[in-house]
Amino acid sequence: MCGIFCLLSLSPTHFEWDKLIYEHLKKRGPNSSQDLTVTGRSPCYQCVFSAHVLHMRGCLRPQPVEDSTGNVLLWNGEIFGGLSVMPGENDTAVVSQRLSSCNSPSEILSVLSSIQGPWGFVYYQKDSDYLWFGRDYFGRRSLLWKFDAEGLTLTSVAAYTFGPDQSPWQEVPAVGVYRVDLKAATEAGSVIFEVYPWAHRGNDAISTFSETTFAFVPSSSTVVISQLGLTPPVFPLNMSIPKSLNETEIHPNSNSSVKDLAQLLASREKNYEVNSLVDVLSEAVRRRVQSLPFEIQDQPPPNNGHSSVAILFSGGIDSMILAALADRHIPTHQSVDLLNVAFELQEQKRQSQSVKKPQKHKNKPIDPRTDGSASRTSSSFDVPDRITGKAGLKELQSLNPERRWNFVEINITQEELQKMRHERICHLVHPLDTVLDDSIGCAVWFAARGTGFIIEDGHQKPFTSSAKVILTGIGADEQLAGYSRHRVRFKMSGHKGLLEELAMELARISSRNLGRDDRVIGDHGKEARFPYLDEDVVSYLNSLPVWDKADLSLPRGVGEKLLLRLTAKQLGLSQSAVLPKRAMQFGSRIAKMEKNHEKASDKCTRLLTHCNE
């Protein structure tokens, strides 16, 4: 992974670094930093390239990479399939070699289309005076852009600045890749670029591009949608509608015990689908936990508590399955870090909660792990995700008692939250700015930092995770109808409405989640990896009819992500297989630390206020 930066100026000019942006970029890539300036003679332009490398595989290859003919590559990505990368080989070098051999736009598009894995890139073609850039199909790597009178700036991460003369940063839409004709742009005195969209998104891609981009691209710039495009790396979503299944009826049995739910799961004849998902998801995890620096693979570290892999861990079904599958592919003598974050519940709120009587909710199953105990605890950090996380730890220890599972309890006070939001997080979340972005961004930043304690021999021991790779479960809810809004849509519009909602989820995941999470996790010199968004996993899930993936006529904790729950049972997990979905901002209780009456979609004044101080 890298922090990459490119400034395109349509006339040679003196360049001065924004010190805060440079600091953010270096934190993403602590192993190597280099700058390179290219000046065009005819036409006259200037490109400033900067790259900051986090060494993840093969021999360390400093960037920017300049080949023998003067082409320059900035590559922030990982190749998990599609292009051959030999053991000990660096994927940046592989991409550079392949792009250098391309003689036409279609050949470049073919190379990019073949890559399985996350990527963001900038590529300068010297002979043609072209500047290419873009993000992968899901937008798993951050890339921001900013237009101004002099040209265009691209960066993995920016900084929030306030003022009437400041041009706004925006996320580069992951609807395709972009090419700037430097000669034409220099002659016109403004940026001219062409968009090569992902093919089967078709009109949707163009519509999305128009809605999200034309609003802030300067009117002086020219945008052209090319007839050429990239071949999508995943199968289209199966839009089949069942003819015989009841569309919207919700089964009233919402008080089933764990045993009853387990019997319901076991009774469904889903063996083929479950085994296929286990196979494809296990392979996705293997690629991500074994694609580590060559020296780590060659000389495995001793069992000293220093892990190569960590998991954002709530004890819920998504993170439990990732942990169970990682256990298959990481040598048993190596530890795995389970990062569990909790935000302090304020004293007044704890007292008010302790005197509340338990309420019975219709259609809301009892969490089998808490058994109502969460409301009775006196600890200010015994939030729901901490309780389910500890229960999940016990399941994993039963699954493999020889493995050292480092359950890292990361406790955050309101004072530390406010301090780090002001100093760092508000800049990393930018340009996103909603209450939800603040909550998730802060929770993920503290979790990925991995600083807390573990319990050894009954005592707390300070601990900071050393893992460079962090697995996250994002993508499971979006594909398997895990959110409450999916139930609402199903109840209102049946399977047709649910399918439309699921199609929209993946189309917008880059702009809602992935760029932000990449910026936040990368700030610690660590790399986020998303097994549920592996191309083969998405293709398999897209190939299935929706009723094989979820049955929202069943109660919470069963119907949503039903196929994944069956998978959990197949892997030997029990209680976690029937836990209802709980969003991170509520499970970690960060949402309870701030204003209680905010909407997730509201602009977050805390982000803007802190960044302007």
Side-chain angles (χ1 to χ4, degrees), residues 144-160:
L144 309 179
W145 60 3
K146 181 177 74 170
F147 296 85
D148 53 40
E150 290 76 32
L152 171 69
T153 306
L154 301 161
T155 182
S156 296
V157 61
Y160 182 86

Side-chain angles (χ1 to χ4, degrees), residues 342-604:
F343 291 84
E344 184 179 29
L345 191 61
Q346 301 305 298
E347 184 66 29
Q348 182 178 359
K349 294 180 180 179
R350 295 205 307 273
Q351 291 177 356
S352 65
Q353 282 193 359
S354 65
V355 299
K356 286 182 180 179
K357 294 182 179 180
Q359 297 180 358
K360 294 183 179 180
H361 299 275
K362 293 183 178 180
N363 298 324
K364 185 175 182 180
I366 297 174
D367 189 326
R369 292 195 178 168
T370 64
D371 196 26
S373 62
S375 62
R376 297 193 298 269
T377 182
S378 60
S379 171
S380 57
F381 293 105
D382 271 349
V383 301
D385 279 0
R386 177 62 47 80
I387 296 168
T388 55
K390 288 180 177 179
L393 171 64
K394 291 180 180 179
E395 279 199 74
L396 294 174
Q397 289 171 333
S398 297
L399 202 64
N400 186 354
E402 297 182 12
R403 168 87 61 198
R404 174 168 174 161
W405 302 96
N406 293 320
F407 184 76
V408 189
E409 300 187 43
I410 301 164
N411 295 338
I412 307 301
T413 64
Q414 189 170 39
E415 292 74 20
E416 186 175 16
L417 170 63
Q418 292 173 348
K419 178 178 183 292
M420 299 316 300
R421 178 193 283 124
H422 166 61
E423 292 181 4
R424 301 210 60 78
I425 302 172
C426 67
H427 298 289
L428 302 170
V429 171
H430 183 70
L432 305 187
D433 57 6
T434 69
V435 169
L436 183 63
D437 293 316
D438 173 56
S439 295
I440 299 296
C442 290
V444 171
W445 189 88
F446 281 109
R449 186 177 66 172
T451 299
F453 65 86
I454 58 176
I455 302 296
E456 283 191 350
D457 300 323
H459 299 286
Q460 293 183 2
K461 175 184 176 182
F463 185 91
T464 297
S465 173
S466 60
K468 285 186 177 182
V469 169
I470 297 182
L471 301 183
T472 169
I474 193 168
D477 291 302
E478 287 80 359
Q479 298 180 79
L480 292 155
Y483 293 121
S484 58
R485 60 179 175 266
H486 295 137
R487 284 190 174 273
V488 173
R489 190 67 186 274
F490 174 74
K491 189 173 183 179
M492 292 177 59
S493 307
H495 285 92
K496 182 177 185 297
L498 176 60
L499 280 166
E500 292 172 351
E501 192 76 18
L502 293 178
M504 182 174 64
E505 293 284 4
L506 277 187
R508 68 184 183 182
I509 196 171
S510 63
S511 59
R512 287 174 64 92
N513 302 98
L514 295 175
R516 176 199 65 212
D517 289 358
D518 176 65
R519 293 191 294 275
V520 166
I521 293 174
D523 190 55
H524 302 292
K526 302 179 180 182
E527 180 173 287
R529 294 185 175 178
F530 312 97
Y532 290 107
L533 292 173
D534 178 89
E535 286 81 355
D536 290 340
V537 172
V538 176
S539 287
Y540 175 67
L541 292 176
N542 277 358
S543 72
L544 297 175
V546 67
W547 60 87
D548 276 346
K549 296 181 283 190
D551 184 351
L552 299 187
S553 68
L554 297 175
R556 289 186 69 237
V558 184
E560 75 278 14
K561 299 191 288 192
L562 178 59
L563 183 61
L564 203 61
R565 298 182 187 282
L566 291 164
T567 299
K569 297 294 292 182
Q570 185 84 336
L571 294 173
L573 303 174
S574 55
Q575 290 182 326
S576 56
V578 290
L579 280 180
K581 166 67 180 178
R582 184 168 54 224
M584 187 178 193
Q585 66 269 29
F586 301 119
S588 67
R589 283 295 188 259
I590 187 173
K592 295 291 185 181
M593 295 189 79
E594 308 293 353
K595 300 176 183 177
N596 288 331
H597 300 294
E598 294 175 317
K599 294 181 179 179
S601 58
D602 289 346
K603 297 289 184 182
C604 183

Side-chain angles (χ1 to χ4, degrees), residues 168-213:
W169 290 103
Q170 298 289 338
E171 291 185 329
V172 175
V175 296
V177 297
Y178 305 78
R179 187 186 71 173
V180 178
D181 185 329
L182 297 172
K183 182 176 181 180
T186 303
E187 292 173 350
S190 61
V191 176
I192 297 174
F193 61 90
E194 196 165 9
V195 185
Y196 298 88
W198 295 102
H200 79 226
R201 284 181 174 169
N203 292 331
D204 290 339
I206 297 174
S207 173
T208 300
F209 182 83
S210 301
E211 293 172 2
T212 60
T213 307

Side-chain angles (χ1 to χ4, degrees), residues 7 9 11 23 30 60 85 113 122 167 170 183 316 322 356 379 390 465 505 561 590:
L7 169 68
S9 176
S11 59
E23 177 190 349
L60 175 63
V85 181
S113 296
V122 179
S167 299
Q170 298 289 338
K183 182 176 181 180
L322 293 183
K356 286 182 180 179
S379 171
K390 288 180 177 179
S465 173
E505 293 284 4
K561 299 191 288 192
I590 187 173

